[in-house]
PDB file of all heavy atoms in Angstrom:
ATOM      1  N   GLU A  61      11.975  26.554   8.426  1.00 93.00           N
ATOM      2  CA  GLU A  61      12.582  25.738   7.375  1.00 93.00           C
ATOM      3  C   GLU A  61      12.088  26.174   6.000  1.00 93.00           C
ATOM      4  O   GLU A  61      12.863  26.333   5.064  1.00 93.00           O
ATOM      5  CB  GLU A  61      12.241  24.262   7.608  1.00 93.00           C
ATOM      6  CG  GLU A  61      12.780  23.305   6.549  1.00 93.00           C
ATOM      7  CD  GLU A  61      14.288  23.153   6.646  1.00 93.00           C
ATOM      8  OE1 GLU A  61      14.816  23.218   7.777  1.00 93.00           O
ATOM      9  OE2 GLU A  61      14.921  22.990   5.592  1.00 93.00           O
ATOM     10  N   SER A  62      10.760  26.351   5.878  1.00 93.00           N
ATOM     11  CA  SER A  62      10.189  26.781   4.602  1.00 93.00           C
ATOM     12  C   SER A  62       8.816  27.399   4.835  1.00 93.00           C
ATOM     13  O   SER A  62       8.190  27.186   5.883  1.00 93.00           O
ATOM     14  CB  SER A  62      10.058  25.592   3.636  1.00 93.00           C
ATOM     15  OG  SER A  62       9.159  24.618   4.150  1.00 93.00           O
ATOM     16  N   VAL A  63       8.337  28.151   3.839  1.00 92.00           N
ATOM     17  CA  VAL A  63       7.031  28.793   3.939  1.00 92.00           C
ATOM     18  C   VAL A  63       6.428  28.915   2.550  1.00 92.00           C
ATOM     19  O   VAL A  63       7.138  29.156   1.565  1.00 92.00           O
ATOM     20  CB  VAL A  63       7.139  30.191   4.609  1.00 92.00           C
ATOM     21  CG1 VAL A  63       8.109  31.078   3.835  1.00 92.00           C
ATOM     22  CG2 VAL A  63       5.783  30.861   4.695  1.00 92.00           C
ATOM     23  N   LYS A  64       5.115  28.702   2.446  1.00 87.00           N
ATOM     24  CA  LYS A  64       4.443  28.865   1.158  1.00 87.00           C
ATOM     25  C   LYS A  64       2.969  29.145   1.379  1.00 87.00           C
ATOM     26  O   LYS A  64       2.385  28.788   2.409  1.00 87.00           O
ATOM     27  CB  LYS A  64       4.608  27.614   0.290  1.00 87.00           C
ATOM     28  CG  LYS A  64       4.122  26.321   0.913  1.00 87.00           C
ATOM     29  CD  LYS A  64       4.446  25.152   0.002  1.00 87.00           C
ATOM     30  CE  LYS A  64       4.114  23.820   0.657  1.00 87.00           C
ATOM     31  NZ  LYS A  64       4.456  22.677  -0.215  1.00 87.00           N
ATOM     32  N   ARG A  65       2.392  29.787   0.382  1.00 84.00           N
ATOM     33  CA  ARG A  65       0.957  30.088   0.443  1.00 84.00           C
ATOM     34  C   ARG A  65       0.162  28.900  -0.070  1.00 84.00           C
ATOM     35  O   ARG A  65       0.615  28.149  -0.938  1.00 84.00           O
ATOM     36  CB  ARG A  65       0.638  31.332  -0.387  1.00 84.00           C
ATOM     37  CG  ARG A  65       1.326  32.589   0.130  1.00 84.00           C
ATOM     38  CD  ARG A  65       0.784  33.833  -0.554  1.00 84.00           C
ATOM     39  NE  ARG A  65       1.521  35.017  -0.155  1.00 84.00           N
ATOM     40  CZ  ARG A  65       1.306  35.698   0.967  1.00 84.00           C
ATOM     41  NH1 ARG A  65       0.372  35.278   1.793  1.00 84.00           N
ATOM     42  NH2 ARG A  65       2.016  36.763   1.261  1.00 84.00           N
ATOM     43  N   VAL A  66      -1.039  28.733   0.443  1.00 82.00           N
ATOM     44  CA  VAL A  66      -1.912  27.628   0.064  1.00 82.00           C
ATOM     45  C   VAL A  66      -3.078  28.168  -0.747  1.00 82.00           C
ATOM     46  O   VAL A  66      -3.748  29.117  -0.333  1.00 82.00           O
ATOM     47  CB  VAL A  66      -2.459  26.890   1.310  1.00 82.00           C
ATOM     48  CG1 VAL A  66      -3.376  25.761   0.905  1.00 82.00           C
ATOM     49  CG2 VAL A  66      -1.304  26.362   2.144  1.00 82.00           C
ATOM     50  N   GLN A  67      -3.321  27.550  -1.888  1.00 81.00           N
ATOM     51  CA  GLN A  67      -4.410  28.006  -2.753  1.00 81.00           C
ATOM     52  C   GLN A  67      -5.719  27.268  -2.486  1.00 81.00           C
ATOM     53  O   GLN A  67      -6.797  27.795  -2.717  1.00 81.00           O
ATOM     54  CB  GLN A  67      -4.011  27.815  -4.224  1.00 81.00           C
ATOM     55  CG  GLN A  67      -2.746  28.565  -4.623  1.00 81.00           C
ATOM     56  CD  GLN A  67      -2.848  30.059  -4.393  1.00 81.00           C
ATOM     57  OE1 GLN A  67      -3.884  30.654  -4.670  1.00 81.00           O
ATOM     58  NE2 GLN A  67      -1.793  30.665  -3.873  1.00 81.00           N
ATOM     59  N   GLU A  68      -5.621  26.009  -2.013  1.00 85.00           N
ATOM     60  CA  GLU A  68      -6.833  25.224  -1.802  1.00 85.00           C
ATOM     61  C   GLU A  68      -7.689  25.830  -0.697  1.00 85.00           C
ATOM     62  O   GLU A  68      -7.154  26.286   0.322  1.00 85.00           O
ATOM     63  CB  GLU A  68      -6.486  23.781  -1.437  1.00 85.00           C
ATOM     64  CG  GLU A  68      -5.739  23.033  -2.520  1.00 85.00           C
ATOM     65  CD  GLU A  68      -4.234  23.198  -2.415  1.00 85.00           C
ATOM     66  OE1 GLU A  68      -3.787  24.025  -1.601  1.00 85.00           O
ATOM     67  OE2 GLU A  68      -3.514  22.512  -3.160  1.00 85.00           O
ATOM     68  N   PRO A  69      -9.011  25.845  -0.874  1.00 83.00           N
ATOM     69  CA  PRO A  69      -9.893  26.445   0.135  1.00 83.00           C
ATOM     70  C   PRO A  69     -10.042  25.609   1.394  1.00 83.00           C
ATOM     71  O   PRO A  69     -10.505  26.107   2.414  1.00 83.00           O
ATOM     72  CB  PRO A  69     -11.234  26.567  -0.606  1.00 83.00           C
ATOM     73  CG  PRO A  69     -11.193  25.483  -1.639  1.00 83.00           C
ATOM     74  CD  PRO A  69      -9.754  25.403  -2.068  1.00 83.00           C
ATOM     75  N   TYR A  70      -9.694  24.316   1.337  1.00 90.00           N
ATOM     76  CA  TYR A  70      -9.775  23.476   2.525  1.00 90.00           C
ATOM     77  C   TYR A  70      -8.411  23.523   3.220  1.00 90.00           C
ATOM     78  O   TYR A  70      -7.364  23.320   2.611  1.00 90.00           O
ATOM     79  CB  TYR A  70     -10.164  22.033   2.176  1.00 90.00           C
ATOM     80  CG  TYR A  70      -9.386  21.425   1.037  1.00 90.00           C
ATOM     81  CD1 TYR A  70      -8.224  20.690   1.273  1.00 90.00           C
ATOM     82  CD2 TYR A  70      -9.803  21.588  -0.279  1.00 90.00           C
ATOM     83  CE1 TYR A  70      -7.505  20.145   0.234  1.00 90.00           C
ATOM     84  CE2 TYR A  70      -9.083  21.045  -1.337  1.00 90.00           C
ATOM     85  CZ  TYR A  70      -7.936  20.328  -1.075  1.00 90.00           C
ATOM     86  OH  TYR A  70      -7.200  19.796  -2.104  1.00 90.00           O
ATOM     87  N   LYS A  71      -8.414  23.827   4.491  1.00 87.00           N
ATOM     88  CA  LYS A  71      -7.172  23.996   5.240  1.00 87.00           C
ATOM     89  C   LYS A  71      -6.928  22.844   6.207  1.00 87.00           C
ATOM     90  O   LYS A  71      -5.867  22.233   6.211  1.00 87.00           O
ATOM     91  CB  LYS A  71      -7.205  25.320   6.022  1.00 87.00           C
ATOM     92  CG  LYS A  71      -7.578  26.540   5.179  1.00 87.00           C
ATOM     93  CD  LYS A  71      -6.586  26.808   4.066  1.00 87.00           C
ATOM     94  CE  LYS A  71      -6.966  28.060   3.287  1.00 87.00           C
ATOM     95  NZ  LYS A  71      -6.071  28.302   2.140  1.00 87.00           N
ATOM     96  N   LYS A  72      -7.924  22.551   7.043  1.00 91.00           N
ATOM     97  CA  LYS A  72      -7.747  21.514   8.054  1.00 91.00           C
ATOM     98  C   LYS A  72      -7.633  20.123   7.438  1.00 91.00           C
ATOM     99  O   LYS A  72      -6.957  19.251   7.985  1.00 91.00           O
ATOM    100  CB  LYS A  72      -8.896  21.560   9.060  1.00 91.00           C
ATOM    101  CG  LYS A  72      -8.879  22.800   9.952  1.00 91.00           C
ATOM    102  CD  LYS A  72     -10.008  22.777  10.962  1.00 91.00           C
ATOM    103  CE  LYS A  72      -9.928  23.963  11.902  1.00 91.00           C
ATOM    104  NZ  LYS A  72      -8.733  23.914  12.776  1.00 91.00           N
ATOM    105  N   ALA A  73      -8.306  19.903   6.314  1.00 95.00           N
ATOM    106  CA  ALA A  73      -8.246  18.591   5.660  1.00 95.00           C
ATOM    107  C   ALA A  73      -7.032  18.465   4.753  1.00 95.00           C
ATOM    108  O   ALA A  73      -6.762  17.383   4.228  1.00 95.00           O
ATOM    109  CB  ALA A  73      -9.517  18.356   4.845  1.00 95.00           C
ATOM    110  N   ASN A  74      -6.294  19.533   4.581  1.00 94.00           N
ATOM    111  CA  ASN A  74      -5.191  19.591   3.624  1.00 94.00           C
ATOM    112  C   ASN A  74      -3.940  18.905   4.168  1.00 94.00           C
ATOM    113  O   ASN A  74      -3.497  19.178   5.281  1.00 94.00           O
ATOM    114  CB  ASN A  74      -4.878  21.059   3.319  1.00 94.00           C
ATOM    115  CG  ASN A  74      -4.114  21.215   2.023  1.00 94.00           C
ATOM    116  OD1 ASN A  74      -3.216  20.445   1.722  1.00 94.00           O
ATOM    117  ND2 ASN A  74      -4.479  22.228   1.253  1.00 94.00           N
ATOM    118  N   ARG A  75      -3.360  18.012   3.371  1.00 93.00           N
ATOM    119  CA  ARG A  75      -2.134  17.329   3.792  1.00 93.00           C
ATOM    120  C   ARG A  75      -0.972  18.294   3.983  1.00 93.00           C
ATOM    121  O   ARG A  75      -0.046  18.030   4.766  1.00 93.00           O
ATOM    122  CB  ARG A  75      -1.750  16.240   2.778  1.00 93.00           C
ATOM    123  CG  ARG A  75      -0.525  15.443   3.205  1.00 93.00           C
ATOM    124  CD  ARG A  75      -0.226  14.301   2.265  1.00 93.00           C
ATOM    125  NE  ARG A  75      -1.147  13.201   2.402  1.00 93.00           N
ATOM    126  CZ  ARG A  75      -1.102  12.283   3.360  1.00 93.00           C
ATOM    127  NH1 ARG A  75      -0.192  12.357   4.306  1.00 93.00           N
ATOM    128  NH2 ARG A  75      -1.973  11.296   3.382  1.00 93.00           N
ATOM    129  N   LYS A  76      -0.989  19.420   3.296  1.00 88.00           N
ATOM    130  CA  LYS A  76       0.090  20.384   3.450  1.00 88.00           C
ATOM    131  C   LYS A  76       0.175  20.903   4.884  1.00 88.00           C
ATOM    132  O   LYS A  76       1.245  21.242   5.370  1.00 88.00           O
ATOM    133  CB  LYS A  76      -0.123  21.562   2.488  1.00 88.00           C
ATOM    134  CG  LYS A  76       0.023  21.192   1.018  1.00 88.00           C
ATOM    135  CD  LYS A  76      -0.265  22.385   0.129  1.00 88.00           C
ATOM    136  CE  LYS A  76      -0.163  22.016  -1.339  1.00 88.00           C
ATOM    137  NZ  LYS A  76      -0.519  23.155  -2.225  1.00 88.00           N
ATOM    138  N   PHE A  77      -0.969  20.986   5.545  1.00 85.00           N
ATOM    139  CA  PHE A  77      -0.995  21.429   6.931  1.00 85.00           C
ATOM    140  C   PHE A  77      -0.696  20.292   7.902  1.00 85.00           C
ATOM    141  O   PHE A  77      -0.296  20.523   9.039  1.00 85.00           O
ATOM    142  CB  PHE A  77      -2.370  22.012   7.289  1.00 85.00           C
ATOM    143  CG  PHE A  77      -2.608  23.394   6.760  1.00 85.00           C
ATOM    144  CD1 PHE A  77      -3.128  23.599   5.499  1.00 85.00           C
ATOM    145  CD2 PHE A  77      -2.300  24.501   7.524  1.00 85.00           C
ATOM    146  CE1 PHE A  77      -3.354  24.870   5.017  1.00 85.00           C
ATOM    147  CE2 PHE A  77      -2.513  25.783   7.056  1.00 85.00           C
ATOM    148  CZ  PHE A  77      -3.049  25.974   5.789  1.00 85.00           C
ATOM    149  N   HIS A  78      -0.978  19.076   7.459  1.00 88.00           N
ATOM    150  CA  HIS A  78      -0.912  17.907   8.355  1.00 88.00           C
ATOM    151  C   HIS A  78      -0.239  16.772   7.584  1.00 88.00           C
ATOM    152  O   HIS A  78      -0.912  15.885   7.051  1.00 88.00           O
ATOM    153  CB  HIS A  78      -2.336  17.517   8.754  1.00 88.00           C
ATOM    154  CG  HIS A  78      -2.430  16.567   9.897  1.00 88.00           C
ATOM    155  ND1 HIS A  78      -1.875  15.307   9.869  1.00 88.00           N
ATOM    156  CD2 HIS A  78      -3.025  16.677  11.117  1.00 88.00           C
ATOM    157  CE1 HIS A  78      -2.146  14.676  10.991  1.00 88.00           C
ATOM    158  NE2 HIS A  78      -2.834  15.493  11.769  1.00 88.00           N
ATOM    159  N   PRO A  79       1.105  16.778   7.488  1.00 87.00           N
ATOM    160  CA  PRO A  79       1.814  15.814   6.640  1.00 87.00           C
ATOM    161  C   PRO A  79       1.578  14.353   7.004  1.00 87.00           C
ATOM    162  O   PRO A  79       1.556  13.489   6.125  1.00 87.00           O
ATOM    163  CB  PRO A  79       3.291  16.194   6.846  1.00 87.00           C
ATOM    164  CG  PRO A  79       3.261  17.604   7.320  1.00 87.00           C
ATOM    165  CD  PRO A  79       2.012  17.732   8.139  1.00 87.00           C
ATOM    166  N   ASP A  80       1.402  14.059   8.278  1.00 92.00           N
ATOM    167  CA  ASP A  80       1.215  12.669   8.709  1.00 92.00           C
ATOM    168  C   ASP A  80      -0.241  12.245   8.556  1.00 92.00           C
ATOM    169  O   ASP A  80      -1.161  13.034   8.764  1.00 92.00           O
ATOM    170  CB  ASP A  80       1.634  12.502  10.171  1.00 92.00           C
ATOM    171  CG  ASP A  80       3.112  12.772  10.380  1.00 92.00           C
ATOM    172  OD1 ASP A  80       3.887  12.524   9.435  1.00 92.00           O
ATOM    173  OD2 ASP A  80       3.487  13.239  11.469  1.00 92.00           O
ATOM    174  N   ASN A  81      -0.447  10.977   8.205  1.00 95.00           N
ATOM    175  CA  ASN A  81      -1.801  10.449   8.087  1.00 95.00           C
ATOM    176  C   ASN A  81      -2.525  10.495   9.417  1.00 95.00           C
ATOM    177  O   ASN A  81      -1.941  10.214  10.465  1.00 95.00           O
ATOM    178  CB  ASN A  81      -1.771   8.997   7.593  1.00 95.00           C
ATOM    179  CG  ASN A  81      -1.329   8.874   6.151  1.00 95.00           C
ATOM    180  OD1 ASN A  81      -1.488   9.807   5.359  1.00 95.00           O
ATOM    181  ND2 ASN A  81      -0.774   7.735   5.800  1.00 95.00           N
ATOM    182  N   THR A  82      -3.805  10.843   9.379  1.00 96.00           N
ATOM    183  CA  THR A  82      -4.623  10.803  10.583  1.00 96.00           C
ATOM    184  C   THR A  82      -4.998   9.352  10.883  1.00 96.00           C
ATOM    185  O   THR A  82      -5.426   8.622   9.987  1.00 96.00           O
ATOM    186  CB  THR A  82      -5.899  11.643  10.403  1.00 96.00           C
ATOM    187  OG1 THR A  82      -5.552  13.029  10.432  1.00 96.00           O
ATOM    188  CG2 THR A  82      -6.906  11.371  11.513  1.00 96.00           C
ATOM    189  N   VAL A  83      -4.832   8.948  12.130  1.00 97.00           N
ATOM    190  CA  VAL A  83      -5.210   7.597  12.566  1.00 97.00           C
ATOM    191  C   VAL A  83      -6.320   7.736  13.605  1.00 97.00           C
ATOM    192  O   VAL A  83      -6.176   8.476  14.581  1.00 97.00           O
ATOM    193  CB  VAL A  83      -4.006   6.853  13.185  1.00 97.00           C
ATOM    194  CG1 VAL A  83      -4.446   5.461  13.658  1.00 97.00           C
ATOM    195  CG2 VAL A  83      -2.864   6.746  12.182  1.00 97.00           C
ATOM    196  N   ILE A  84      -7.432   7.062  13.370  1.00 98.00           N
ATOM    197  CA  ILE A  84      -8.569   7.110  14.285  1.00 98.00           C
ATOM    198  C   ILE A  84      -8.626   5.789  15.050  1.00 98.00           C
ATOM    199  O   ILE A  84      -8.695   4.711  14.443  1.00 98.00           O
ATOM    200  CB  ILE A  84      -9.880   7.361  13.527  1.00 98.00           C
ATOM    201  CG1 ILE A  84      -9.800   8.698  12.773  1.00 98.00           C
ATOM    202  CG2 ILE A  84     -11.068   7.360  14.484  1.00 98.00           C
ATOM    203  CD1 ILE A  84     -11.008   8.994  11.911  1.00 98.00           C
ATOM    204  N   SER A  85      -8.580   5.878  16.376  1.00 97.00           N
ATOM    205  CA  SER A  85      -8.552   4.683  17.221  1.00 97.00           C
ATOM    206  C   SER A  85      -9.872   4.508  17.965  1.00 97.00           C
ATOM    207  O   SER A  85     -10.559   5.486  18.271  1.00 97.00           O
ATOM    208  CB  SER A  85      -7.408   4.784  18.238  1.00 97.00           C
ATOM    209  OG  SER A  85      -6.162   4.945  17.573  1.00 97.00           O
ATOM    210  N   PHE A  86     -10.197   3.256  18.258  1.00 96.00           N
ATOM    211  CA  PHE A  86     -11.437   2.913  18.949  1.00 96.00           C
ATOM    212  C   PHE A  86     -11.121   2.129  20.219  1.00 96.00           C
ATOM    213  O   PHE A  86     -10.052   1.529  20.349  1.00 96.00           O
ATOM    214  CB  PHE A  86     -12.349   2.106  18.031  1.00 96.00           C
ATOM    215  CG  PHE A  86     -12.797   2.870  16.810  1.00 96.00           C
ATOM    216  CD1 PHE A  86     -11.973   2.969  15.700  1.00 96.00           C
ATOM    217  CD2 PHE A  86     -14.021   3.515  16.790  1.00 96.00           C
ATOM    218  CE1 PHE A  86     -12.366   3.687  14.584  1.00 96.00           C
ATOM    219  CE2 PHE A  86     -14.425   4.240  15.681  1.00 96.00           C
ATOM    220  CZ  PHE A  86     -13.590   4.329  14.579  1.00 96.00           C
ATOM    221  N   ASP A  87     -12.070   2.143  21.143  1.00 92.00           N
ATOM    222  CA  ASP A  87     -11.869   1.507  22.439  1.00 92.00           C
ATOM    223  C   ASP A  87     -11.543   0.024  22.333  1.00 92.00           C
ATOM    224  O   ASP A  87     -10.814  -0.532  23.158  1.00 92.00           O
ATOM    225  CB  ASP A  87     -13.102   1.700  23.328  1.00 92.00           C
ATOM    226  CG  ASP A  87     -13.318   3.157  23.730  1.00 92.00           C
ATOM    227  OD1 ASP A  87     -12.339   3.928  23.663  1.00 92.00           O
ATOM    228  OD2 ASP A  87     -14.449   3.519  24.086  1.00 92.00           O
TER     229      ASP A  87
END
Side-chain angles (χ1 to χ4, degrees):
E61 178 71 33
S62 63
V63 57
K64 57 185 174 181
R65 297 191 185 278
V66 179
Q67 301 302 319
E68 297 89 351
Y70 48 92
K71 309 298 182 184
K72 291 182 176 294
N74 200 319
R75 183 175 286 281
K76 293 177 182 177
F77 283 88
H78 194 300
D80 296 330
N81 290 334
T82 287
V83 179
I84 300 176
S85 302
F86 297 82
D87 293 339

